[in-house]
Amino acid sequence: MQNPDTIPYDVIIAGAGPVGLFLACELRLAGCSVLVLEKAQDPHSPLKGLPFGLRGLSVPAIESLDRRDPLDDLTRRAAGRDTPAGAHWMAHQRRTGGHFAGIQFFHDRIDSTQWPWRLPGPIGSIAADMASIEAVFALRAEALGVEIRRGCGVEALTQSDDGVTIVTTDGMARGRWLVGCDGGRSTVRKAAGFDFAGTDPEFTGYSAQVELADPIALAPGRHYTAQGMYTYAAPGTIAMVDFDGGAAHRTEPDRGQIEAVLRKVSGLDVTVTALALATTWTDRACQATCYRNGRVLLAGDAAHIHSPLGGQGLNLGLGDAMNLGWKLAATIRGDAPAGLLDTYAAERQPVGAQILDWSRAQVALMRPSRSSRALEAIIRDLIETRDGATYFAERVWGVSLRTDLGDPHPLVGRSAPDFALDDGTRPAELLRTGQGLLLDFDARSSLEALARRWRGRIVHVASNAKDRLGLTALLVRPDGIVAWVSEGIPDPDAAAQAVVRWFGEPRD
């Protein structure tokens, strides 16, 4: 047991899922000491390998991983993963871009010219299973020196002016800050007194791996019925939605229950002969009313929950971690500008609220009613149009995401374009140190001199680019968000104001 009078860790993170591990990597990259506490003893769960457990990483998530290295490992794992025969998302000759409540949009309808702030090039998502994502992040965290304790869950906590004391199942731990990344039923959120508000569930969802007496009794694909919805990917991967108000959630469904629900929602006399795996979920949609209480912060599902439709919860959580990591690290180092940590909630809560409403809209389309089926038909028509497919791609892929930083320029607040610089590098590579980036296309001495005053916090790179979108210079935050741009002769004073706003006062 640790001495309660010492604070050995800058940050303790509850939860070793993708969000907690990614945040731990961000903090270690910035030099903070980090302890991750994980209640589960074994990180490997068969449920994480279910085909319906695949998560489509959005454009912001892919860009974040590219700016921190793990993208190549995930891409290799995705390329080597077998896709189930007959999977509904592979049943089209056209290239699928994603879906809204199961209604797919396709690449051949998407007009990327409607996104003038993005450079031309391939765009889309990467499908990765949770087991692979966690494995990649865990390896990176361990390589960076993150301490991970498994089988050690948070039970209680108390705060003081200088830190947080945590009672765990394995003793006591102390840190200057605590971040709850411990899921939708977060112990940290409850123990720290956060309010969690939202809407109650309408359905219980099931994901299961089964054997059927007649494997071809169910047609592959997603099907809406008078009693709910089911999706079947041969040979035996099933997802179902039963509009029971969430009554069966948090149960351990057995073979008989899975068979009964499958018969109900499909309307078919199917027989489940064996059940290998099963889990339940709901469309409950709630969000913490604040993301910080003193020295305790929330990220990922601990801060917001919704149905897993479209897999946007993971992307939302990774965005939380990328936004929070550098801000908390700067606060710990003591060089953060006033109020920097408060911008975490100010920037991420609106994004979370938007995703919760996106999830609710999909649930409305899935209800087993004539009005929902009529609305579905209209959405199908719209999503096949060029503007419709572009709109849904923009929302599902996250390419329209913009943080309001108070600057009217359309690029400020957006993810930095990955310019092909003449020196052979890309901004994504230049951000891998976790510092900010002052990209100077015309190599002006005034900007180089400015950057020197913030050495160790921002990197100045002078290089032209093949297509620089009409810019002469830009300042990029460590999370890849553009904070300032110049289209003419750069104004050093304006650039300095932007640097001070996000990186604090210079040391000289």
Side-chain angles (χ1 to χ4, degrees), residues 10 25-34 329 333:
D10 291 321
C25 291
E26 285 294 283
L27 292 164
R28 277 301 297 150
L29 186 64
C32 300
S33 56
V34 185
R333 288 195 308 264

Side-chain angles (χ1 to χ4, degrees), residues 65 68-80 126 128 132-133 135-137 139-140:
L65 299 183
R68 295 298 189 269
D69 277 342
L71 182 61
D72 288 343
D73 289 341
L74 276 178
T75 303
R76 282 192 294 269
R77 287 173 180 257
I126 295 174
S132 294
I133 294 170
V136 167
F137 286 166
L139 288 172
R140 177 170 168 78

Side-chain angles (χ1 to χ4, degrees), residues 50-61:
L50 277 172
F52 288 125
L54 296 179
R55 297 294 185 264
L57 295 176
S58 66
V59 170

Side-chain angles (χ1 to χ4, degrees), residues 204-222:
T204 299
Y206 299 82
S207 297
Q209 191 73 43
V210 304
E211 291 182 11
L212 300 177
D214 182 2
I216 62 173
L218 298 177
R222 182 176 298 222

Side-chain angles (χ1 to χ4, degrees), residues 185 201-207 240-254 256-258 260-262 264-265 278-283:
R185 288 179 273 178
E202 295 188 39
F203 64 68
T204 299
Y206 299 82
S207 297
M240 303 179 289
V241 165
D242 181 13
F243 279 80
D244 62 353
H249 185 40
R250 297 180 185 171
T251 63
E252 295 184 7
D254 58 17
Q257 183 179 352
I258 292 296
V261 175
L262 181 57
K264 174 183 176 182
V265 299
T279 187
T280 63
W281 39 278
T282 75
D283 60 312

Side-chain angles (χ1 to χ4, degrees), residues 452-473:
R452 281 199 300 267
R453 300 176 64 198
W454 280 269
R455 186 179 292 111
R457 282 177 274 176
I458 62 172
V459 176
H460 173 262
V461 174
S463 179
N464 202 356
K466 179 180 178 181
D467 181 358
R468 58 193 207 184
L469 299 177
L471 304 177
T472 54

